[in-house]
Structure formats: structure tokens, C-alpha cells
Amino acid sequence: MAIHNSSHHPPQAASQDPSTTDAGNEFPIAIIGSGFSGIGAAVQLKKAGIESFTIFERAGEIGGTWRDNTYPGAACDVPSHVYSYSSEPNPDWSSKFACASEIQAYLLRIVEKYDLRPHLRLNAPITSAAFNELEGAWTLEVADGRRFRARAVVAAMGGLIDPSYPDIDGVESFAGQSIHTARWNHDYELGGKRVAVIGTGASAIQVIPAIAGKVAKLSVFQRTPAWVLPRGEKSIRAQTKARYRRYPFLMRLVRWSQFLFSELMGPLIMLNAPRLSRVAESACEKHLENSVASPELRAKLHPDFQFGCKRILISDDYLSTFERDNVELVTDGIREINRSGIVTNDGALHEVDAIVYATGFDVAITHAPIAIKGLGGLDISAAWRDGAEAYKGIVVAGFPNWFVTMGPNTGPGHTSVLIYTEAQIRYIVQAIRKLIAQDIRYMTVRRDVQDRYNARLQGRMKYTVWESGCKSWYLSEDGKNHALYPGFASEYRARIRRVTMSDFDITHFEHA
Ligand code: NAP
């Protein structure tokens, strides 16, 4: 059933509480977050004929990850044709792996194409949400005190949004420039400076080669070396782009071949099968050998955990950067940071002008990033005391009409996250259509259904390489993986193709 509203301008419609504004007309829907998931959800709602939604964005512009990560070299290490919306292929991707600004420009184009600006509320960080059973509606509170009412919420807040700074003594005392990769300071000129980079994860391996050529000296502080595969970066020729424009099905073909390839590689990346892992490890070792001449340096850059246990990194030029005269790899642990630089465990002081923190994120995938109170005032932090759980990663028992994208156990270990989020969005739009069409006050997933789903999921987890003994952001403190999906993306998509109403407790409005 298509729902049309007289206006697509968000909201002044009435709610029971006069201090609260509806997040849309007729059936107000709130989308929290305007990254790939939030924008994708808005587009699909529009395509379903539902216009009564408002997108709340905490920052001053849309884009999420691709707005926030602007460090030199920032790019996506997933091929662009599979890292785009399936319904919005882009013939103009400049290379196999697009850079951050190009992806952000793509998202901005989608916003204009679907006329989403009138639905957007920028600089509107939602701080809390509470469910009202009688109204079958959520009240969302913005940091400035404004309140909005929504019959359904799409929580598209992302998993890796808040930068994490390391817990190192003296971090505050450093007198030079401190920059986190996810909050780059473009006003600070790195050229000619002595720079330290802390961390050697996915962000670090992009920023290190990008800045090595311009700084006077680069000291890379590595705690754990990573397995690095070559990226095989290729720019896309003008002829190919023209062909894509002329025959759009070619882009679909490329997308599907990239997706199929990643699915075929899935077992190699996910399974705790040391012999299989050795195949990939040998490829990484060959890349290391081709990139670094010194055996001592190679030994320092060689990981000692099983391939896939931490996120796999791909780069053509990261390892070879250590061949430069102005780049040093520091493997003594960090003891402290002082006014002038970094002191390592061997007592050496590495004096620097700037410290780049490539130290990752506070992972929001294992806990809710805002205060949420569901049925009977149930607090999300209480519900998730033993770790974040959801049914199919999308709905949570006790939190009716609340739909999550990139929720617990939906992260991909081996392919594009968009394969997952697009399927989640389809599920969510289906559920919202049912809420509207069947005049449902609220639907909440049954606890037994959610528990069974998660017991099976965690049962499968023990066969994955993620639980093979290394430390990674995939695992919560108790060692449980609440982040990734232990299976093929195609299997996950098949699982969430349809909303099965018998999975939910349904409460209708009582009409006189
Ligand atoms: P990350 O993978 O969490 O890496 C953080 C790095 O900082 C690690 O090397 C870590 O060492 C190090 N570190 C943290 N605290 C430290 C300390 N006290 N002392 C020394 N080193 C410390 O963060 P990230 O590189 O930003 O990547 C996070 C995620 O973002 C990735 O896994 C990926 O999902 C996503 N990402 C994606 C792309 C892409 O191209 N698609 C690019 C960048 C990021 P340990 O390993 O020892 O903990």
C-alpha cells in the first residue's frame, strides 16, 4: 500500500503532547543518521510512496563515515561498484576503490536526486528516545531540548562513529598538534614536520603512505602488525566509464562479479581453518617480501595471529613506505606521552611536532549510542547488559517499532557492508508498510524468537577465525562477538527477505 502525504515538509502536525512535534505527517517516521544507511532508508521509503519521515543528523552535513573521515589517503577498500547502492550505480567512479571525497559527493548527489533536503534536520543530535505504549510512538529528544514524536524509528547511527583515543599516560600533556584520523585538522600543515602515527589498522595504512612523502620524519608506532594484501588499485578509463553510461547493465555485471568474488573468498576470511588461512597468509608474505627488502624490518611487520582474526588490510603502498629514509617503524610499546613526544618502553623519547591518532573508534555496535527506553521503561543498556543482541540484527525485543541498520552481528567480515544494509532497509520498509496498512499500534519481536536466533548465531561463531585468539574491535570485553555475521552475505539476505508477522507480538489500536 502506498502512503501519500499532502506535504513532504517535516512536521508540524499534532501530537498528544503539545511540546512535542511529529517527525512527519500521518505516520511520522524518524530516521536517525544520514550516512549510507539513513539516506538509503529515506530513498526506499520515498520509493514506497512514504514521505512522512524526518532525518535527524547530529552533524552539519550528511554523509556519516564519508563526511567524517577526510584524512589524507582516505578511501574505501571495498570496490566502488559494490560499495554503492544497487539501485544507484555510478558510471563515474574514478577508480576501482573510490576515495572518501568521491563517495561523499556520490551521497550528496543522491540527496539532491531524491529531494531529501526538506526532510533533513541537521545539527540535531538525538540524545534519548522513549516509547509511549498508548500512542504506539517514540518521543525523541534532541540535544537542545526539542522533542519529536515518531510512530517508527530507523536507527541508522552507524557502528564506527566516535573516535577512540588511546588510554596512554600523558596524552593531554603533548604540546604539539594532536589529530585523530576521523577528525582531521586540515588547517594544520604537516609538510616538513616530525610526525608520529599511533596505530596500524585500516585507517593508518591509508594515511601513512599519503603523508610520508611530505613530512620531514614519520614515526609509526605499531602495537600489532597486520596481514596486508595488495589492493590492485586501478583507475577506471574514460572509455570504460562511457561504456558504463551507455550500457548500465555492465555496472551490474561488475558489481555482481565483485560480490560473487567476495562471497567465494568468504570461507577463507571467516573460517577458523588454519590451512585455508595459510593460503592467504602466504599471499600476504609474498606482498611483504616484494615491498620490504630488509629481513629485520619484514620480521617486525609480520603478524603472529591467524589471517582474518583482525580486519584484513589491503594496500599497494603501505608496506613499501617503510623503505623510505624518513620513515621509521617503532615496535617498542608506548610508555607515555609527554610535552615533546612519545616515550617508549625502552626509555627513548621520540620528539615530534604532531601525533596522528589512527586508533579507531568506540564501537557502537556493541552498545546503543543513545539512551533508549522501550516497553515498560526497559532501558537498552539493561537489555544489552550481556552484550548487544537483536533479531536478524534489526529488531530488539522490548523496543517496538524501532528498527536498526548495521545492528548487532550484521557486520561483514568479507564483503561490502551495503549488501547487508540494503537488505535491512528492505525489511524495515516492509515492516513499516505493515504497521501502516494493518493499523498496528506496535510490533515487538518475541523474546523467544530473538533468543533462539542469537543462540544459533553464537553457536556458529565458534567456527570463525574471529574467535581464534587475537584481540580486535569485533569482540566485546567478555570475548563475545556481537559485531559480525558468521556467514555468507547472500545467506543473511535470504534470511531477512520477508517480515514474518508470527515472529512479533502485535498490538492493535483499540477502536471504539
Ligand atoms: P582500528 O582497526 O581499531 O585500529 C586501531 C589501531 O590503533 C590498531 O593498530 C591498534 O593496535 C592501535 N592502537 C589502539 N590503541 C593503541 C595504543 N594504546 N597503543 C598503540 N596502538 C594502539 O581502527 P581503524 O584503523 O580506524 O579502523 C577501524 C575500522 O574502520 C576498520 O576495521 C574498518 O572496519 C573501518 N575502516 C574501513 C576502511 C575502508 O577502507 N573500508 C578504512 C578505514 C577504516 P592493536 O591492533 O594492537 O589494537
Side-chain angles (χ1 to χ4, degrees):
M1 178 186 135
I3 305 298
H4 293 281
N5 291 288
S6 48
S7 154
H8 63 204
H9 289 270
Q12 304 308 325
S15 118
Q16 319 293 47
D17 176 353
S19 67
T20 304
T21 310
D22 276 8
N25 300 319
E26 289 182 25
F27 189 92
I29 300 165
I31 299 174
I32 312 178
S34 68
F36 254 101
S37 304
I39 297 300
V43 169
Q44 292 311 320
L45 282 169
K46 272 211 153 192
K47 285 187 175 176
I50 301 171
E51 296 269 359
S52 55
F53 61 87
T54 301
I55 310 166
F56 295 92
E57 169 54 55
R58 66 180 185 171
E61 183 51 283
I62 66 108
T65 287
W66 305 106
R67 174 202 61 227
D68 291 343
N69 286 272
T70 60
Y71 56 83
C76 185
D77 61 8
V78 177
S80 309
H81 282 291
V82 71
Y83 196 88
S84 29
Y85 298 117
S86 54
S87 55
E88 302 295 332
N90 175 18
D92 297 318
W93 289 125
S94 65
S95 65
K96 189 173 171 194
F97 300 92
C99 67
S101 58
E102 201 178 345
I103 302 172
Q104 174 68 354
Y106 166 82
L107 271 178
L108 285 164
R109 281 202 302 278
I110 303 285
V111 168
E112 302 318 323
K113 176 173 171 185
Y114 288 93
D115 194 21
L116 297 179
R117 288 267 165 213
H119 293 267
L120 263 169
R121 283 179 186 262
L122 299 171
N123 301 306
I126 301 291
T127 51
S128 68
F131 189 67
N132 179 320
E133 288 170 50
L134 283 177
E135 287 189 43
W138 286 89
T139 301
L140 305 177
E141 188 155 340
V142 182
D144 62 11
R146 282 176 297 163
R147 288 197 286 168
F148 294 86
R149 175 183 171 274
R151 291 289 321 283
V153 175
V154 183
M157 292 181 269
L160 304 165
I161 52 175
D162 294 317
S164 155
Y165 290 86
D167 186 16
I168 299 174
D169 281 347
V171 166
E172 302 298 326
S173 62
F174 180 57
Q177 183 69 214
S178 299
I179 312 174
H180 194 284
T181 46
R183 298 288 182 273
W184 198 259
N185 176 1
H186 290 276
D187 295 332
Y188 182 77
E189 178 50 55
L190 284 178
K193 304 274 177 24
R194 297 163 304 167
V195 178
V197 174
I198 301 181
T200 51
S203 303
I205 65 146
Q206 294 182 343
V207 76
I208 288 166
I211 61 175
K214 57 162 100 146
V215 302
K217 186 174 179 203
L218 184 61
S219 306
V220 177
F221 290 79
Q222 169 189 276
R223 188 164 65 180
T224 315
W227 290 111
V228 185
L229 282 168
R231 187 153 97 156
E233 176 65 311
K234 278 200 288 259
S235 53
I236 298 175
R237 290 181 307 165
Q239 267 169 308
T240 311
K241 291 184 201 168
R243 233 174 269 140
Y244 285 154
R245 232 170 276 123
R246 197 142 164 222
Y247 308 109
F249 76 92
L250 287 177
M251 285 183 281
R252 255 173 243 290
L253 214 62
V254 172
R255 180 187 175 84
W256 275 102
S257 67
Q258 288 170 343
F259 173 60
L260 201 64
F261 179 75
S262 63
E263 284 284 83
L264 289 173
M265 290 295 115
L268 189 86
I269 294 167
M270 287 185 278
L271 281 182
N272 186 359
R275 274 209 223 147
L276 211 52
S277 302
R278 268 315 294 158
V279 177
E281 288 167 7
S282 302
C284 294
E285 281 163 354
K286 193 152 188 280
H287 182 42
L288 179 58
E289 233 173 271
N290 292 340
S291 308
V292 177
S294 148
E296 293 78 37
L297 192 52
R298 281 209 300 266
K300 285 183 173 183
L301 288 163
H302 193 289
D304 62 1
F305 57 87
Q306 200 174 323
F307 178 85
C309 186
K310 285 161 95 80
R311 193 179 189 278
I312 293 153
L313 307 184
I314 61 166
S315 169
D316 292 334
D317 53 3
Y318 165 66
L319 294 169
S320 59
T321 301
F322 293 101
E323 290 280 289
R324 296 181 64 95
D325 290 338
N326 68 333
V327 178
E328 69 167 338
L329 178 67
V330 184
T331 54
D332 285 304
I334 299 175
R335 182 195 292 170
E336 62 172 19
I337 293 177
N338 64 23
R339 253 190 85 70
S340 35
I342 298 177
V343 181
T344 39
N345 287 334
D346 57 1
L349 167 66
H350 302 258
E351 282 189 77
V352 289
D353 303 304
I355 299 177
V356 172
Y357 291 94
T359 44
F361 300 86
D362 284 328
V363 183
I365 224 161
T366 54
H367 57 270
I370 60 169
I372 307 169
K373 280 196 195 310
L375 277 180
L378 174 64
D379 201 308
I380 193 79
S381 52
W384 283 358
R385 187 176 294 123
D386 298 325
E389 282 189 350
Y391 177 56
K392 300 185 173 178
I394 306 172
V395 283
V396 184
F399 297 85
N401 300 4
W402 182 277
F403 304 97
V404 188
T405 61
M406 289 179 75
N409 291 111
T410 66
H414 66 289
T415 189
S416 170
V417 68
L418 291 181
I419 302 290
Y420 295 71
T421 46
E422 281 204 330
Q424 289 155 7
I425 290 166
R426 269 198 295 278
Y427 182 97
I428 292 168
V429 173
Q430 241 185 72
I432 288 177
R433 290 176 72 133
K434 284 182 193 289
L435 282 172
I436 298 171
Q438 297 174 28
D439 198 21
I440 293 169
R441 175 146 51 121
Y442 58 85
M443 58 193 282
T444 178
V445 66
R446 284 167 34 203
R447 159 68 56 192
D448 60 315
V449 169
Q450 178 175 309
D451 287 348
R452 255 200 318 277
Y453 174 82
N454 281 286
R456 270 201 300 267
L457 199 95
Q458 290 301 331
R460 283 162 63 162
M461 206 60 92
K462 59 177 177 286
Y463 301 107
T464 67
V465 67
W466 309 314
E467 299 200 348
S468 65
C470 75
K471 195 169 157 287
S472 76
W473 66 258
Y474 301 158
L475 306 180
S476 46
E477 275 177 13
D478 61 359
K480 234 171 147 184
N481 191 330
H482 296 281
L484 302 191
Y485 185 72
F488 290 104
S490 33
E491 179 228 328
Y492 176 72
R493 281 165 66 97
R495 268 180 197 278
I496 66 168
R497 260 219 348 246
R498 279 205 182 80
V499 176
T500 307
M501 292 308 263
S502 57
D503 289 341
F504 292 85
D505 287 324
I506 308 291
T507 306
H508 284 276
F509 283 105
E510 285 154 27
H511 295 292

